[in-house]
Every structure is written in structure tokens, then in C-alpha cells.
Amino acid sequence: MVGAVADEPQRTAPGYGALPFQPATPGSYALPAVGQAADGVVLDTANRSVRLHDLMGDKLVLLSFIYAACSDVNGCPLATQVLHKISRQLQKQPELADKLRLLTLSFNPAQDTPEMMRHYGEGFRTAGFDWQFLTTRDEQALQPILDGYQQNVQKIYDERGEFTGTFSHLLRVYLIDKQKNVRNIYNVDFLHADTVINDVKTLLAGTEAQSALAQVDAGRLYQAGDNKQDYRAADYRTHSLALAQRRGKPANLIEFARKPPLGLPALPVPKDNPLTPAKIALGRKLFYDRRLSLNNTFSCAICHIPEQGFANNEMATAVGVEGRSVRRNAPSLYNVGYAELLFHDGRENSLEQQAWGPLLAHNEMANPSIGRVVDKLKATTDYRGLFEKAFNNKGPSMEAIGQALASYQRTLNSADSAFDRWYFAKRADALGDSAKRGYQLFTGKAACSVCHTIGSKAALFTDQKRHNTGVGYAEAMQAEEAKRRIQVAPGVFLDVDSENLKGLDGAKTNDLGYYEVSQKPLDRWSYKTPSLRNVALTAPYMHNGSFATLNDVVRFYNQGGTANENLSSLIKPLGLSEAEQADLVEFLKALTGANVGALVSDGFAAPVGEAGGEP
């Protein structure tokens, strides 16, 4: 953490001294692209407007963010000194010097004017070397650039609420290739002239490993399904993407709430928690931050994975901190802002309150108390000022954390599906013949729309009620099998004798649904009706993830569920033929929203909290 002067003496960063190890041979390792370099309008020292992308493409670029008045030896002065060392060293290597451009951009445009940046740069420029010092016209022009590089910068205020002229920020320096992809990000512990030059040489070497990682079919990044690219074992199964392939672009999330996509009604928003960009941005940061768990390893997004339907396609039931089993499936968060009942049993009725369930559950994020979470965020440096900005100068609190997380989740609205364009926009060609037949079954013979409702102007595909379909009953009453199928790795299962597992595995607790909340016998094995929007992306299905495919779900309902004394009167055998079942599945596949890619891409672009970010 850099910015305000620390109370205690600091050790100087490694970048000031000799490199304590021998770097790898240039070109012997790969630097996979970690994202697209953001663009924006900046000013050069002659007060001329130029787009940041116009300064990229012809050379490799090393971009640093600083403010001229920074007095932290391991902050902005470190970045500038390391870049100065690079410029001096490359004077002896003109073949490299002509292929690299240094950009130093101020995040204090009020004080660091073009003239100020010119004076600042005069003390560091090396003759003939391409090093440009930049600023912006104002903070409004600067903020999109900071957001694009996930560069969190906060002003420091004194006890009277007055700006002190200092900033809190995480030091980051970005190495950008000619295709305007970020290829490495250096922090205070890894920023060193020798390693940067080594990385520059590696990029210029153009290794095959880098090329292979860079070549990813963009059309495959934001859809569900196995992606075996880069996995060597032929039988390895996963729905996840290699981290190096995660390319993201921030979305204007609030627009998905203000103007929900075609097919969704107006979004209900609590009067005491109106949506604002600052709250949404804070909630997004919290959602992807692993530091919100007890041991800094687990975020909300680890169970609600963007490219897996904001659910988890790889596990029937979720797994929490330290591999602790969770007995229910991770539900999708698409359109969760419309849900009147939350959790599979519907025990909560607001997103603000629901957020604390996973945060405190011993087998999920495992925090011992509310105060522990609040105190951690108060002490985590890259959250400084974010709560104050979002909540009218109020710091982290139980209420604010819940409201911020809820605000982000209320933007995850996805519709404008093929069905919506056919049904609401009246485009006859938007839906295929099989899906149209499936719709007739959905609203007719199969009677799905009795619970998964469709209105005349909008469709949430849920009656917002609870029902007993027999799934929970069947699981509770099934006899123990001689062998149990155990997952030992993603996509890898073993059949193990149940007798051999005794003593290693505790007795499985029955899941009685809403009865556990209401204590009313009629509520046994009752669970809420989920929305079917984007259902093709959110396998496996049911509260316990017991059905792997939509075909399995349709077959279950076709047989009339599982009989039990509390079975909903709406569940009856349907008598659908194989062809009719296939048509019904095609209709369900037509409920995938057109903006799924934008929401997943935004998730990819979100910052991931690291344990190293703690003070």
C-alpha cells in the first residue's frame, strides 16, 4: 500500500537494489495476455489531447500511474526510479530502446497539470529515449482509465473531512504488447528494472508458448460447456476456462437495472437502498474478493461462477472454505433481483439480508462474526474511501456490506432471449419450430407455466412460491447403496464401498426443505420455484444438483415427480412422448439472454482480492 506516509520506517522495495536472483533466459517462459489495455483521453506535456491507445501499437509500452507530490519511497517515486533505470540501461541496448515506450500518467489532474508533468519529467528523461509524461483534463476523464486498469485510487481526508493532498493506492505498472494486451502487472514487490527488461526481451522474442495462449476463440469465452483447450488429458472434464484466457471488459451494469432487457419487468429496488454506480462498483469488488472469507481464499464468485451461469456447473452441491461440504446446489444469480424468496428453501426475502448467510456459514465463507468482516474491510487498504463514496461518508458496516453486494447482484439481469424476441417483440423468425412446439407444451399439456409463469408484458418464469416435487423426499428416503460414487477431482470419480467410508465421512443430514424453517409438517421437502431464464447455462438442476441435464429434469416431471404424502397437487404424470420432451428442452434452451456475454465479460474484468492486499 502506498500513498500517505507510514507511521513506521519502511524497508525500501527490491527495485532500488540489485536483483537478488538470476532471471530466466529471455524467451524461455511465456507471458500470457491478462486483459485488454484500457483506453481514454489524456494530455501530453504540450497540453494536447491524445487517446491512450494512440500511444500503443507501434511499440511495447510500460505504463505507470503516479502523482508528482507522492512522498512514499515505495510508492510513486519507486515506479519513476525503476523506469528511469530502464531508460538508462536501454541506452546501451539501442536495438531494444527503439521498441519500448514509457508512459507515466498522473492520477492527480488538479495539481499535475501538463506543465507540472513537464517539469516533473525533466529530471528523469534520458536523452533520445521515448518517455512521455501525461495527465488528464479532470477527474471525470481520468476515472474510466483507472477503472479499466483496475487501479484503485482514493483521496486521503483529515478528521475535518478536508483533502490532505495525498492519495492511497496500490502500486501497479503495466507491460503492454503491440496488440494492446496487458502482458504483465508489476507491484511493489516485483517491480525491478532487470525483470522488466527481461520480460521486454521475452515479448520481442515472440515465443510459441505466448502465441498459443494468446490465440483463443473469443466466441467460446462466454458460454457454458466444456472447454478442453490447454488441458492435456483427454478425459479431463471442466466447464472452467484457463485463467490466462479470461479476457474481460467492464460493463455499464446500472443500465441492466435501469432498463432491464426485453422480457423483464421494471426491477424492484428498495427505497432504503437505491442503486448508484458507486454502490454497484463496491458490491462488484466485494463479490469477487477472496478476502471476505475467514482464510482469504473464498469469494462469492467461487460458487457463483460467471461463465457457469453465475452458478457452478461442475458440482452437484457446493463446496466452501477448506473443502467443507455444502448440502445444496449453488443457485444461479441471473435476475436474482426479482426473487421474492432467497435460498433454495426461500427463508430470506431480501438480498441485503441474504448476503450474510454465506459470509457467516461455517461451511461456506466461515467468518466467525459480523464484526470480523467489518473490521477486516476497515483495515484493508484498497477499500479506503470506497464505502464513504458509496454511502455518504459512512464507513464499512453490516448494513453497508449487505447493501453493496445486493446492489451488484441487482444488475445481473439477463433476458432478450430468442423466446423474448418471438413472444414479446413478435418476431416470427426468432424461434425455431421445435422451440415453438415446446412453448405450446410448456403452456399446455406439460403445464410448466402454472409454476413457471409467463405474463403478457414480461416473464419471470417463477410463481415466487414453494412446492414439493418429490426430489427432496426421494433423496431422504433412499437406502444406502453398497457403493458410493466419490468425486476426487474435477471430472474424476471413483466407486468406493460405502463400508470403507464409515469413519471418514459423517452421516449425511437429511434436507427437509422449508420445514426446517417453519417447523410445519406440510412444508417438508418444499423448495422455491426457480426462474427458468438462462436455465440452459446453470446445470446441474434442483436444490441438490441431482439432475445433470435438462433432459433429466423433463423426464422427472414427465413421470410425475416422486410420490409422497406432501407432493404438490400440481405434479402429475404428463404423458409426453420422446419427441415432445425434446421439443420442451429446445424451448428451455431458447431462454438464454442476449447479454450473457457482457455480464460474464464484466465478471472477468473484476478485480480479485488477494491476501497480499491486506495491511
Side-chain angles (χ1 to χ4, degrees):
M1 192 67 192
V2 300
V5 178
D7 295 331
E8 298 179 0
Q10 293 177 289
R11 294 182 178 179
T12 55
Y16 285 109
L19 194 64
F21 58 89
Q22 182 66 33
T25 303
S28 65
Y29 58 94
L31 289 171
V34 295
Q36 182 76 16
D39 194 13
V41 178
V42 297
L43 299 177
D44 64 15
T45 54
N47 201 25
R48 293 174 298 201
S49 291
V50 61
R51 297 204 68 86
L52 202 52
H53 270 189
D54 291 340
L55 300 175
M56 303 174 185
D58 59 325
K59 298 181 179 183
L60 301 182
V61 167
L62 199 61
L63 170 65
S64 66
F65 291 89
I66 62 101
Y67 71 107
C70 180
S71 59
D72 188 331
V73 67
N74 290 335
C76 306
L78 168 65
T80 305
Q81 286 294 335
V82 170
L83 266 62
H84 183 48
K85 286 184 178 180
I86 291 170
S87 69
R88 286 188 300 166
Q89 289 186 33
L90 291 189
Q91 273 198 313
K92 304 174 184 177
Q93 305 176 62
E95 70 283 0
L96 291 181
D98 291 340
K99 297 175 182 177
L100 178 66
R101 174 176 294 125
L102 308 184
L103 300 179
T104 295
L105 174 60
S106 171
F107 52 77
N108 185 16
Q111 299 297 322
D112 291 344
T113 62
E115 183 179 4
M116 174 65 75
M117 291 304 289
R118 179 172 60 82
H119 287 304
Y120 181 79
E122 284 175 353
F124 298 101
R125 276 201 187 97
T126 303
F129 193 78
D130 190 354
W131 189 354
Q132 301 187 34
F133 291 81
L134 309 167
T135 187
T136 53
R137 291 201 181 279
D138 50 37
E139 292 181 0
Q140 186 175 1
L142 174 67
Q143 194 58 50
I145 300 174
L146 295 179
D147 291 343
Y149 287 95
Q150 301 173 23
Q151 181 74 63
N152 184 31
V153 175
Q154 297 297 325
K155 293 180 177 179
I156 303 298
Y157 295 89
D158 61 21
E159 63 277 3
R160 293 172 296 179
E162 297 180 358
F163 177 44
T164 62
T166 59
F167 293 82
S168 169
H169 71 104
L170 288 171
L171 177 66
R172 295 286 189 268
V173 177
Y174 304 81
L175 179 60
I176 302 167
D177 66 20
K178 292 183 180 180
Q179 288 71 46
K180 301 173 186 175
N181 293 314
V182 177
R183 302 299 285 268
N184 210 350
I185 304 174
Y186 309 94
N187 64 18
V188 64
D189 294 318
F190 299 103
L191 183 61
H192 194 285
D194 292 349
T195 55
V196 172
I197 291 175
N198 214 58
D199 288 348
V200 168
K201 291 178 179 179
T202 292
L203 286 184
L204 293 175
T207 65
E208 292 182 5
Q210 295 162 13
S211 299
L213 284 169
Q215 293 172 1
V216 180
D217 180 3
R220 300 173 64 192
L221 292 178
Y222 310 135
Q223 55 185 297
D226 285 337
N227 183 348
K228 296 185 174 65
Q229 185 172 337
D230 292 337
Y231 293 104
R232 295 181 180 178
D235 60 348
Y236 189 93
R237 296 180 181 180
T238 182
H239 292 272
S240 297
L241 298 171
L243 289 177
Q245 297 171 323
R246 292 171 64 99
R247 311 286 182 82
K249 179 180 179 182
N252 187 12
L253 294 174
I254 198 168
E255 287 303 305
F256 294 133
R258 289 174 175 168
K259 300 176 182 178
L262 176 67
L264 292 176
L267 179 71
V269 178
K271 291 183 180 179
D272 61 351
N273 189 25
L275 289 174
T276 67
K279 269 193 278 190
I280 293 168
L282 174 58
R284 175 176 176 264
K285 179 177 173 65
L286 290 167
F287 186 86
Y288 292 93
D289 197 332
R290 295 176 292 143
R291 294 168 295 180
L292 260 66
S293 63
L294 175 64
N295 61 1
N296 303 316
T297 63
F298 216 85
S299 71
C300 305
I302 288 179
C303 279
H304 302 283
I305 306 167
E307 72 270 29
Q308 297 185 23
F310 282 91
N312 189 327
N313 301 156
E314 297 173 280
M315 294 185 175
T317 56
V319 171
V321 163
E322 296 179 338
R324 299 172 190 174
S325 297
V326 180
R327 61 179 177 163
R328 290 177 181 167
N329 173 258
S332 171
L333 297 184
Y334 279 127
N335 304 314
V336 70
Y338 295 94
E340 295 174 9
L341 303 175
L342 297 161
F343 296 111
H344 283 290
D345 55 23
R347 66 185 182 272
E348 277 292 0
N349 58 16
S350 87
L351 284 170
E352 285 78 2
Q353 295 161 182
Q354 180 275 336
W356 283 98
L359 285 167
L360 298 177
H362 78 281
N363 59 348
E364 295 188 55
M365 299 175 82
N367 289 291
S369 67
I370 294 167
R372 172 68 178 261
V373 180
V374 173
D375 288 345
K376 178 182 279 191
L377 288 172
K378 285 181 178 179
T380 302
T381 50
D382 54 302
Y383 279 94
R384 286 182 185 170
L386 296 186
F387 280 90
E388 290 77 5
K389 180 180 178 182
F391 293 100
N392 194 24
N393 292 324
K394 296 179 181 178
S397 67
M398 178 184 182
E399 180 182 38
I401 293 166
Q403 288 184 335
L405 282 165
S407 294
Y408 169 64
Q409 291 176 78
R410 286 196 176 97
T411 69
L412 300 178
N413 302 318
S414 178
D416 189 17
S417 65
F419 162 78
D420 296 309
R421 294 188 289 274
W422 173 73
Y423 188 81
F424 294 113
K426 309 302 180 184
R427 285 178 45 188
D429 61 343
L431 208 60
D433 290 340
S434 177
K436 288 177 182 177
R437 293 192 299 269
Y439 166 76
Q440 295 301 327
L441 292 164
F442 189 90
T443 57
K445 181 178 179 180
C448 308
S449 62
V450 174
C451 295
H452 299 284
T453 53
I454 300 174
S456 59
K457 295 183 179 179
L460 294 178
F461 289 93
T462 175
D463 60 1
Q464 308 278 15
K465 297 178 181 178
R466 303 178 188 89
H467 300 280
N468 176 333
T469 66
V471 172
Y473 172 85
E475 182 180 39
M477 297 304 174
Q478 67 185 3
E480 183 179 18
E481 298 179 355
K483 289 184 178 290
R484 283 175 56 187
R485 193 164 177 77
I486 304 297
Q487 183 172 359
V488 295
V492 181
F493 296 84
L494 295 176
D495 292 322
V496 181
D497 289 338
S498 297
E499 191 67 27
N500 294 338
L501 293 174
K502 290 182 179 179
L504 299 176
D505 191 14
K508 186 175 182 179
T509 305
N510 278 344
D511 188 336
L512 298 174
Y514 190 58
Y515 168 79
E516 296 176 8
V517 179
S518 71
Q519 296 296 294
K520 296 178 180 179
L522 289 177
D523 289 328
R524 284 178 296 169
W525 306 300
S526 291
Y527 302 91
K528 73 167 187 174
T529 305
S531 171
L532 296 183
R533 286 195 173 276
N534 302 294
V535 69
L537 308 179
T538 61
Y541 303 103
M542 305 301 184
H543 72 278
N544 58 358
S546 55
F547 296 143
T549 69
L550 288 173
N551 292 305
D552 294 336
V553 175
V554 171
R555 278 194 292 270
F556 172 77
Y557 284 116
N558 192 44
Q559 72 183 24
T562 299
N564 67 91
E565 61 183 289
N566 288 339
L567 183 69
S568 169
S569 61
L570 300 173
I571 306 297
K572 300 174 182 178
L574 304 177
L576 300 178
S577 68
E578 289 293 331
E580 287 174 323
Q581 292 180 57
D583 287 341
L584 194 51
V585 169
E586 284 305 304
F587 171 72
L588 296 174
K589 291 178 179 178
L591 301 181
T592 300
N595 65 329
V596 162
L599 290 172
V600 173
S601 178
D602 178 81
F604 284 3
V608 177
E610 302 176 11
E614 277 195 275

